[in-house]
């Protein structure tokens, strides 16, 4: 016997005339993010499973951006894979591991973000779509504030010391006294 399943707006797949997973076309309109897997969305933000609690090992998700235009990612929290490099988040083919998150990475409509965990869980991530790139003006002198500012802007202190005025994509750094 052959059984055929009808295409529905609740089958967990992008099929029929849908423009995202179970959304668009003849289904309800898509939100800013389509998520397959254990991650979840809150408005324009996406989070690891169980956030702010630890995620478990052997989990994964795929996130598709459904918004026109360019958007800089804003990392509110990113701690994945402290035990190994088995955990990784990938944004349009660029991999981020451990505490190096995709802050400032530019995504657009149909950008794909994937995440998977290895054998162990960790704190996880909370990442949002931003509208405008941020600027980071670094104070004079080498202080912990410089390090925090550089980190928040997606910069590294070594890059700033080499005279770089551009940090992560969509960021500007003003460097003096380093």
């Amino acid at each position: 016997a052959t059984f055929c399943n009808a295409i529905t707006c609740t089958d967990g797949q992008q099929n029929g005339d849908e423009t995202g997973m179970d959304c668009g076309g003849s289904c309800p309109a898509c939100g800013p993010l389509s998520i397959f897997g254990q991650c979840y969305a809150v408005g324009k933000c996406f989070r690891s499973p169980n956030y702010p609690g630890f995620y478990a090992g052997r989990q994964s998700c795929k996130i598709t951006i459904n918004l026109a235009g360019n958007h800089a990612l804003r990392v509110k929290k990113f701690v994945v894979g402290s035990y190994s490099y088995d955990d990784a988040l990938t944004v349009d083919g660029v991999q981020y591991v451990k505490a190096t998150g995709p802050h400032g990475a530019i995504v657009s409509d149909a950008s794909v973000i994937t995440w998977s965990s290895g054998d162990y869980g960790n704190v996880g991530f909370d990442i949002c779509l931003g509208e405008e790139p941020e600027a980071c003006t670094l104070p004079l002198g080498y202080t912990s504030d410089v390090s925090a500012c550089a980190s928040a802007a997606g910069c590294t202190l070594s890059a700033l010391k080499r005279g770089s005025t551009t940090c992560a994509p969509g960021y500007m750094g003003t460097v003096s006294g380093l």
Side-chain angles (χ1 to χ4, degrees), residues 10-156:
T10 57
D11 60 9
Q13 299 179 35
Q14 182 177 343
N15 49 27
D17 65 349
E18 297 169 354
T19 58
M21 179 186 71
D22 293 336
C23 65
S26 57
C27 297
C30 294
L33 304 165
S34 291
I35 298 183
F36 303 83
Q38 291 94 4
C39 298
Y40 66 99
V42 177
K44 290 184 179 180
C45 299
F46 55 95
R47 297 175 177 166
S48 54
N50 200 41
Y51 186 87
F54 276 48
Y55 60 81
R58 299 291 170 205
Q59 294 187 313
S60 64
C61 64
K62 176 181 175 182
I63 301 137
T64 304
I65 309 301
N66 297 323
L67 290 175
N70 292 326
H71 303 274
L73 294 180
R74 301 284 171 249
V75 174
K76 296 166 79 177
K77 185 76 168 186
F78 188 86
V79 181
V80 300
S82 292
Y83 304 108
S84 70
Y85 284 96
D86 291 343
D87 296 15
L89 183 119
T90 303
V91 178
D92 288 334
V94 178
Q95 188 176 72
Y96 299 89
V97 296
K98 297 203 176 195
T100 305
H103 195 76
I106 304 298
V107 295
S108 58
D109 188 37
S111 283
V112 175
I113 299 166
T114 59
W115 169 79
S116 62
S117 65
D119 292 330
Y120 304 99
N122 209 326
V123 174
F125 55 84
D126 184 9
I127 302 172
C128 298
L129 300 176
E131 298 301 328
E132 295 293 325
E134 294 177 4
C136 178
T137 301
L138 303 176
L140 290 172
Y142 185 87
T143 68
S144 60
D145 290 340
V146 173
S147 179
C149 185
S151 175
C155 306
T156 63

